[in-house]
Amino acid sequence: MTARFHNPVDTRFGWGCLQALATLTEGQSVALVTFPEARELGLVDRIQALLGDRLVYVIEDVQPNPDVAQLRDTYERFWQQAGDCQVVVAVGGGSAIDTAKALIVGTESGDFDELLALLAAGKPFVPARHKQLIAAPTTAGTGSEVTPWATIWDSASLKKYSLHLDCTWPKVAIIDPQLMLTVPAGVTVSTGLDALSHALESIWNINANPISDTFAISAIEDILECLPRLRRDLGNQELRSRMALAALKAGLAFSNTKTALAHSISYEMTLHHGLPHGIACSFTLPLVLGLAWGHDAARDRTLQRIFGTDLHQAQAQLRDFLHSLDVKTEFADYGVNASEAEAMIRFALQGARGKNFIGAQAA
């Protein structure tokens, strides 16, 4: 079978490469989307210095897990006040980049509810207008800078929406590990585990191929080695760079496969139990590894390149790794009993991401 791999994002990687923003946006007006602490960290001033009067609008109140309750006002103000800007630059973690992806998709009316109705219909659509997106992650984990997907939450209605269009692929990704130096230990761990989940999910996936596997295996090996060390030495530039590259490789892997069962479970854990995304999509990895094992010989061989040929040892290795980072690995640890967990897994297998899992057909 012929393998196909496609990723249209112009990707820049390296210490200090945020400087490229000046030339990448030459002659264009720019809106910045970033997180509340960015100004205190000097990031807003730094970007202002790079862009000068090209920076025409700043959104700096992005919250974790972008929710329709906040997005509605942000979206409508953006199109009213900065509708003429040409480029949106997202600087931050997955929430900032996901927020920016929602903002760049313009409706005819400029009303957010029109976009929400299109997403609720669950069918592909061509937006009335859109902006170009440049994404510069400040965490090593999300992969959103090299994928078209954004997750929009509606916590009041216990729903989530997935946004993915041709225009929501970033035009450029700037992965500058220097931006990640100030990330605290807890966020470093949770985002790193999100990247680990992306890489593993791309392997036990019906859409996997040898090219995505190459990125995934390399990412997993680096994360297993680097993340515990980085947690103990947050200022280590080499480890920050290796984790940034690992997260990028994981992002490239799942940009072609999408995620699978662990992420499908995570959405329920976040909506109903308030679990942060990086933990929600990683605490089940040992369990899902066991569910994946034995369904596909080629997938088994790929997993065994990382974990060896003994399933119980492989699960123990993954479980011990998570425990070493103070991440609990049982549903009961998060207030979910055995029957609730079983029902959640069955439900997750029916979701769009769950159906990507190699064991979904047998479940």
Side-chain angles (χ1 to χ4, degrees), residues 254-272:
F254 93 97
S255 76
N256 275 246
T257 64
K258 304 179 184 176
T259 52
L261 180 58
H263 271 72
S264 194
I265 295 169
S266 81
Y267 302 137
E268 293 300 299
M269 292 298 295
T270 296
L271 276 173
H272 296 282

Side-chain angles (χ1 to χ4, degrees), residues 90-107:
V91 178
S95 295
I97 299 173
D98 280 9
T99 296
K101 286 179 180 177
L103 293 179
I104 66 169
V105 180
T107 58

Side-chain angles (χ1 to χ4, degrees), residues 44-116:
V44 176
D45 287 345
R46 187 176 167 197
I47 291 164
Q48 177 75 71
L50 285 170
L51 300 181
D53 58 11
R54 278 174 282 163
L55 182 61
V56 297
Y57 195 74
V58 178
I59 296 168
E60 53 186 308
D61 59 351
V62 169
Q63 300 301 311
N65 298 329
D67 195 282
V68 296
Q70 187 200 28
L71 266 179
R72 181 176 285 104
D73 182 54
T74 301
Y75 180 95
E76 292 177 359
R77 275 190 292 112
F78 168 74
W79 281 99
Q80 287 164 9
Q81 299 174 14
D84 292 335
C85 82
Q86 295 155 294
V87 180
V88 172
V89 173
V91 178
S95 295
I97 299 173
D98 280 9
T99 296
K101 286 179 180 177
L103 293 179
I104 66 169
V105 180
T107 58
E108 194 72 52
S109 63
D111 291 343
F112 181 73
D113 285 338
E114 186 181 339
L115 174 60
L116 212 55

Side-chain angles (χ1 to χ4, degrees), residues 2-60:
T2 300
R4 179 173 184 259
F5 186 93
H6 172 73
N7 190 295
V9 183
D10 175 0
T11 302
R12 316 293 177 95
F13 177 88
W15 198 269
C17 70
L18 185 68
Q19 291 292 122
L21 200 54
T23 53
L24 288 168
T25 59
E26 201 164 352
Q28 297 175 299
S29 55
V30 177
L32 171 66
V33 178
T34 192
F35 54 103
E37 299 82 6
R39 189 172 291 277
E40 186 182 336
L41 292 169
L43 259 180
V44 176
D45 287 345
R46 187 176 167 197
I47 291 164
Q48 177 75 71
L50 285 170
L51 300 181
D53 58 11
R54 278 174 282 163
L55 182 61
V56 297
Y57 195 74
V58 178
I59 296 168
E60 53 186 308

Side-chain angles (χ1 to χ4, degrees), residues 125 148 166 174-175 177 182 217 234 259 266 358:
F125 64 93
D166 286 346
I174 299 173
I175 297 94
T182 56
I217 292 167
L234 294 170
T259 52
S266 81
I358 56 173

